[in-house]
Amino acid sequence: MFEFKKTSQQQKGRFLLRALVAGAVALICFGLLVGRFWVLQVERHEGLAARADSNRIAVVPIPPRRGEIVDRNGEVLARNHLSYTLEVVPARVGNLDELFSQLMPIVHISSVDQRRFKRRVAESGRYSSVVLRNNLNETEAAWFSAHSFNFPGVELRARWVREYPQGKSAAHVIGYIGRISESDLNELDDSGRLGNYRGTDVIGKKGIEKTYETALHGKTGVQEVEVTARGKPVRVLRRTDPIPGSNLVLSLDMNLQRVAEDAFKDQRGALVAIEPATGDVLAFVSQPSFDPNLFIDGIDVESWKQLNESPDHPLVNRPISGTYPIGSTYKPFVALAALELNKRRATDRISDPGYFEFGGQRFRNSGSTAFGSIDMHFALVVSSDTYFYSLGPEIGVNGLHDFMKPFSFGQLTGIDIDGEKRGVLPSTDWKRSAYKKKEQQRWYAGETISVAVGQGYNSFTLMQLAQATAVLANDGTYMKPHLVKQIENATTGERKPTVAEASYKIPLKKENIQVIKRALADVTTSGTARQAFAGSAYAAAGKTGTAQVYSLRGSKYRANAIDERLRDHALFMAFAPAANPTIAVAIIVENAGWGGSVAAPIARKVFDAWLLKGQDKPKSPVTSQVKQTVTERPVVESKEVESTQ
């Protein structure tokens, strides 16, 4: 009996211990659970709430409207219009060919659209939204909207599409936009601008569109959208509107631009017209041109092949990328250098027997024309090569280099468009750095003779010649050339000028400038450009030029006997009115021959359009003061060659 009672008490004790242990464990677990709830609900509430919201809130970028581009008179050069696009996430649609066949009864998808889409998928990846078709009309958009439930992964969107209403006119100035490439993304990332391009698939590629990309693009907006588990939008929670890009007002006058382009007809070449007092570029021509609309959504293979393989190189921006010897249009600046450096007075006379002899060689006037005893004025009017040949050794190549540099020869002018080349303004230092072999680094005195007439190592852009002409017309004041005149805030309408004051002034003597200007004025009335400006209602000043494309090596120039693309370039530089210039031009017509008969008439049309503004042209001719026919192309011949002719 006693043993049984003792055993019962032991069992009760063990049971009580177990109950206490179990209760303690339960209490501890409950405490841990409560503690965890506290951490989640109190301490980590904000972070977890944000994560929960992110699971149901999609952040959608809103691309800004790109700024428009207009000319100085408000004529539209680049604008935007709303267009419907069909966009696809390839990973959500399966077989692409099946998708195309299913869509065809509703929305036409051409073979070009299909190839372009597949190329973009390869570039962007299967999980990105890729444009399948642009510019859907309202009927197509309505039909797709009615059947959209059959096409998961395909979405109809409205977006801003760029348009260039002028087509080929001024295309090298405006440039074009194109799809953002991998290199563009890397550049945006390096510059810290990538975030501003979320939701944007195009960027400026050439011309003003590229140079002013930051201003034109604007600032991307954003909206927070509540979505379902399947990603379907429910409602907009918050929205920050995008800031549209700035509008650009160009200095171009499109009426003048079209006159200049039409004057070239089918010839290759370039023209730049500048307002000397402001630096405004009034016309900027590169012929032939191209249609920038081809590049907006990606140019097709056939069009690209035609442009890229054309022997006329329509994609080359000739005024800033093409470099040329500028021939006799260099002479006014050489003459001014002689006056400013006290190497020769304007009244000093030299004998011109039709050639200049130096180091056993004869450097001849074009056609071996002999002008007799001449001064600087007459030498410029008739374009005597002999006179300027003789100036070469007197000034020296380094003297010419230092004097020409502030005029922008062989320098970047600073014009606000990408792709400008520096060219070559020769000097002894330049030659030492340009050539590796020691025997090639030596500068020979005879080379300065060719340089003094705009040939030899001289290689300048037409933009540099136009700017130098504008600086001369402006009495040495250097206004930075620019294509964008004002930047307009798209929201407030406030306009800010891009160039407000002169960059610097070249210290030139007024009397020396007048010597050159008087001579250039007589070029258009009695010299090598007299026929082009016969009957003009205004006084113009200019200089013709003809530049060799290749060395004659002592042979005689016969245009009809050589390939058309090896013939001389025709050039002309001028400003008008001569007394108070409001426009300065430089023109090159490639492989066209004589500057006076080919390039000068183009300048006349441009001056008439700018100065007369549609007035009737006078019919009374201007009497010529120079009776003989004058040409200006320099020819270099050796004594040995001369003796055999």
Side-chain angles (χ1 to χ4, degrees):
M1 183 73 181
F2 179 78
E3 291 292 334
F4 175 78
K5 188 175 181 180
K6 184 178 180 180
T7 302
S8 177
Q9 290 177 346
Q10 290 176 347
Q11 289 178 344
K12 288 181 179 180
R14 287 196 295 268
F15 176 80
L16 182 60
L17 179 62
R18 290 173 183 173
L20 290 173
V21 171
V25 170
L27 186 61
I28 291 171
C29 291
F30 184 76
L32 291 174
L33 184 61
V34 171
R36 184 60 178 168
F37 283 160
W38 175 270
V39 171
L40 295 177
Q41 296 293 329
V42 179
E43 293 184 4
R44 297 182 60 186
H45 170 75
E46 292 184 2
L48 293 174
R51 289 176 62 181
D53 285 341
S54 67
N55 290 332
R56 63 182 180 87
I57 298 174
V59 179
V60 181
I62 309 173
R65 180 178 181 178
R66 194 172 181 86
E68 296 191 343
I69 304 175
V70 300
D71 81 337
R72 66 192 297 123
N73 301 313
E75 188 169 349
V76 178
L77 307 180
R79 64 189 176 198
N80 312 288
H81 67 273
L82 274 175
S83 174
Y84 291 108
T85 64
L86 211 57
E87 299 188 16
V88 179
V89 179
R92 297 179 59 192
V93 299
N95 188 287
L96 295 179
D97 292 326
E98 290 183 7
L99 172 66
F100 298 151
S101 61
Q102 293 171 5
L103 280 172
M104 284 294 288
I106 302 172
V107 177
H108 176 67
I109 310 295
S110 68
S111 58
V112 174
D113 291 329
Q114 294 178 30
R115 290 196 302 270
R116 182 184 297 155
F117 175 76
K118 289 180 178 179
R119 186 181 72 246
R120 290 175 177 174
V121 170
E123 295 172 351
S124 304
R126 295 183 56 81
Y127 295 92
S128 300
S129 180
V130 181
V131 175
L132 172 59
R133 164 78 193 280
N134 281 312
N135 301 322
L136 276 71
N137 58 43
E138 293 184 359
T139 301
E140 290 175 315
W143 270 93
F144 179 80
S145 296
H147 297 83
S148 61
F149 62 91
N150 292 321
F151 301 97
V154 184
E155 187 175 356
L156 182 70
R157 293 184 179 179
R159 70 178 182 116
W160 292 109
V161 177
R162 200 65 160 171
E163 181 184 17
Y164 303 106
Q166 303 299 329
K168 292 184 177 182
S169 188
H172 289 90
V173 173
I174 304 165
Y176 54 84
I177 62 171
R179 290 185 61 82
I180 297 177
S181 65
E182 189 67 29
S183 61
D184 293 326
L185 289 174
N186 293 334
E187 185 177 343
L188 289 171
D189 194 16
D190 292 341
S191 61
R193 296 183 294 150
L194 185 59
N196 196 34
Y197 280 78
R198 302 296 184 190
T200 301
D201 58 359
V202 294
I203 194 171
K205 295 287 188 176
K206 290 290 183 182
I208 293 298
E209 290 276 30
K210 179 180 180 180
T211 308
Y212 286 86
E213 168 62 28
T214 301
L216 286 167
H217 176 69
K219 187 175 181 180
T220 299
V222 66
Q223 65 180 6
E224 296 179 358
V225 182
E226 184 178 1
V227 297
T228 64
R230 293 186 178 183
K232 184 177 180 180
V234 177
R235 60 192 175 103
V236 176
L237 301 177
R238 187 168 58 182
R239 176 186 173 96
T240 301
D241 290 329
I243 299 175
S246 299
N247 300 321
L248 302 182
V249 181
L250 301 193
S251 58
L252 289 185
D253 185 297
M254 286 306 297
N255 293 323
L256 187 68
Q257 178 78 15
R258 285 187 282 266
V259 168
E261 291 172 345
D262 292 343
F264 276 85
K265 299 179 181 177
D266 295 327
Q267 297 171 303
R268 300 181 304 277
L271 176 149
V272 177
I274 301 176
E275 187 175 55
T278 62
D280 286 358
V281 176
L282 305 174
F284 187 101
V285 177
S286 181
Q287 293 287 86
S289 188
F290 64 93
D291 186 354
N293 291 293
L294 294 171
F295 293 87
I296 295 173
D297 291 314
I299 188 170
D300 61 273
V301 175
E302 188 61 32
S303 297
W304 172 252
K305 187 176 180 180
Q306 290 178 1
L307 291 173
N308 194 45
E309 297 181 2
S310 170
D312 293 333
H313 304 294
L315 295 177
V316 173
N317 194 336
R318 283 171 162 83
I320 60 172
S321 297
T323 55
Y324 311 87
I326 61 171
S328 294
T329 58
Y330 200 45
K331 291 175 180 176
F333 304 97
V334 175
L336 186 58
L339 294 174
E340 288 290 324
L341 299 176
N342 297 317
K343 299 298 182 180
R344 190 175 294 180
R345 294 174 298 181
T347 55
D348 291 346
R349 307 183 73 85
I350 70 159
S351 176
D352 180 358
Y355 61 86
F356 176 71
E357 191 165 352
F358 184 86
Q361 287 185 316
R362 282 189 174 181
F363 299 79
R364 293 184 174 276
N365 287 339
S366 179
S368 299
T369 305
F371 295 109
S373 178
I374 59 175
D375 60 8
M376 183 178 289
H377 181 96
F378 190 82
L380 283 169
V381 173
V382 301
S383 198
S384 165
D385 293 326
T386 295
Y387 185 92
F388 290 94
Y389 288 146
S390 67
L391 280 178
E394 292 185 29
I395 301 175
V397 66
N398 290 334
L400 285 171
H401 172 276
D402 294 345
F403 183 81
M404 301 298 178
K405 186 176 179 180
F407 283 90
S408 79
F409 287 117
Q411 315 301 312
L412 298 179
T413 65
I415 189 168
D416 49 349
I417 189 171
D418 70 300
E420 183 180 15
K421 289 188 177 180
R422 186 177 295 274
V424 176
L425 178 62
S427 67
T428 55
D429 288 340
W430 166 82
K431 196 173 185 185
R432 279 193 293 269
S433 63
Y435 293 94
K436 294 182 179 180
K437 295 181 180 180
K438 194 169 184 178
E439 59 271 19
Q440 294 178 314
Q441 295 177 348
R442 179 183 174 188
W443 186 271
Y444 297 92
E447 293 174 325
T448 309
I449 295 173
S450 296
V451 167
V453 292
Q455 294 283 167
Y457 292 111
N458 286 325
S459 183
F460 307 130
T461 65
L462 194 76
M463 185 69 231
Q464 291 170 356
L465 177 58
Q467 177 63 5
T469 304
V471 173
L472 176 63
N474 204 25
D475 296 339
T477 299
Y478 192 103
M479 297 297 300
K480 182 180 177 181
H482 52 275
L483 288 158
V484 175
K485 186 178 180 69
Q486 297 170 322
I487 299 177
E488 179 186 78
N489 186 299
T491 304
T492 64
E494 180 184 359
R495 291 186 174 185
K496 181 180 179 181
T498 56
V499 176
E501 57 185 20
S503 299
Y504 55 83
K505 184 174 178 62
I506 305 173
L508 301 172
K509 295 178 181 177
K510 185 68 175 180
E511 58 270 24
N512 292 338
I513 296 176
Q514 291 305 312
V515 168
I516 306 303
K517 286 187 173 181
R518 282 194 295 267
L520 297 184
D522 280 353
V523 168
T524 64
T525 59
S526 58
T528 54
R530 64 187 183 279
Q531 293 182 352
F533 285 88
S536 172
Y538 50 84
K543 183 70 192 74
T544 56
T546 306
Q548 294 175 357
V549 175
Y550 76 107
S551 175
L552 293 172
R553 299 186 183 279
S555 60
K556 195 169 184 178
Y557 178 79
R558 294 183 178 87
N560 295 331
I562 61 175
D563 182 85
E564 185 264 342
R565 294 179 186 273
L566 294 178
R567 296 172 189 170
D568 294 346
H569 296 322
L571 295 108
F572 189 62
M573 57 81 78
F575 51 85
N580 186 25
T582 60
I583 183 172
V585 301
I587 302 165
I588 185 168
V589 186
E590 295 179 4
N591 312 117
W594 312 115
S597 60
V598 179
I602 295 176
R604 170 68 185 273
K605 292 179 180 179
V606 170
F607 285 171
D608 284 353
W610 184 251
L611 298 175
L612 302 182
K613 304 290 186 182
Q615 300 176 23
D616 292 334
K617 299 177 183 179
K619 298 180 180 180
S620 57
V622 177
T623 304
S624 175
Q625 298 176 3
V626 178
K627 303 300 181 183
Q628 70 258 49
T629 301
V630 179
T631 55
E632 72 279 17
R633 191 178 63 81
V635 180
V636 179
E637 297 180 349
S638 67
K639 268 192 170 183
E640 291 75 18
V641 173
E642 181 197 10
S643 64
T644 62
Q645 294 178 344

